Amino acid sequence: MLLTYVDESFTARVYWIGALMVPDAAAIPLSEALDAVVADAVKTFGVPVDVELHGYDIFHGRKGWTGVPPRARIAVYKAAMAAIGAQEDVAIILRGVKREQLVKRYAYPRPAHEVVLSHVLERVDGYAASREEYALVIAD
């Protein structure tokens, strides 16, 4: 079973969805590794204990990352990516659409979220099938 965590990011120009696909056996070790990244950030930079590793907040110094210097935030992001990369058989799928071009191409365009989510789910399905596994998709 592949646990597949899906989240979106967007601006006025583009809409992205990313999927992190984790074999069920790697889910707990990955969670523990990411918890260690947060614990280190709490200890080193004084961020709140319940801070989350959301790229937008880290990049822009928002929410629990307010007041943390940019180089420190980059180091935390790098540590989180290293924790993900250290796990075996973890896959990342990214898909996006330029909103303006979506509107130009179709007379009645579907919302960007629907378009991109359908593309991500198609890739998730294909990847899971190539491994002869099921994927459980978890979206917030």
Side-chain angles (χ1 to χ4, degrees):
M1 172 78 66
L2 296 167
L3 302 176
T4 305
Y5 302 94
V6 176
D7 203 4
E8 77 280 348
S9 184
F10 55 88
T11 67
R13 290 184 38 233
V14 294
Y15 194 97
W16 292 94
I17 295 181
L20 176 66
M21 301 185 74
V22 182
D24 55 359
I28 291 175
L30 176 56
S31 180
E32 290 171 345
L34 292 172
D35 286 347
V37 170
V38 170
D40 185 55
V42 168
K43 178 180 167 187
T44 307
F45 306 116
V47 297
V49 176
D50 62 346
V51 74
E52 294 186 3
L53 295 171
H54 287 289
Y56 181 86
D57 296 336
I58 294 171
F59 286 149
H60 297 284
R62 303 273 169 89
K63 297 186 179 177
W65 301 98
T66 302
V68 179
R71 286 183 189 248
R73 289 185 274 122
I74 291 168
V76 170
Y77 190 84
K78 183 178 176 183
M81 292 298 106
I84 293 168
Q87 303 301 313
E88 285 192 37
D89 294 330
V90 171
I92 297 174
I93 295 172
L94 299 172
R95 291 292 176 268
V97 67
K98 293 180 181 177
R99 292 173 184 256
E100 184 178 320
Q101 290 185 356
L102 183 64
V103 172
K104 283 181 182 178
R105 184 171 183 175
Y106 299 101
Y108 302 102
R110 291 183 8 228
H113 177 79
E114 288 181 21
V115 172
V116 178
L117 183 59
S118 67
H119 293 177
V120 167
L121 293 176
E122 287 172 8
R123 294 296 178 146
V124 165
D125 182 57
Y127 182 78
S130 75
R131 295 174 49 107
E132 297 181 350
E133 294 192 59
Y134 290 107
L136 174 64
V137 178
I138 303 158
D140 63 352

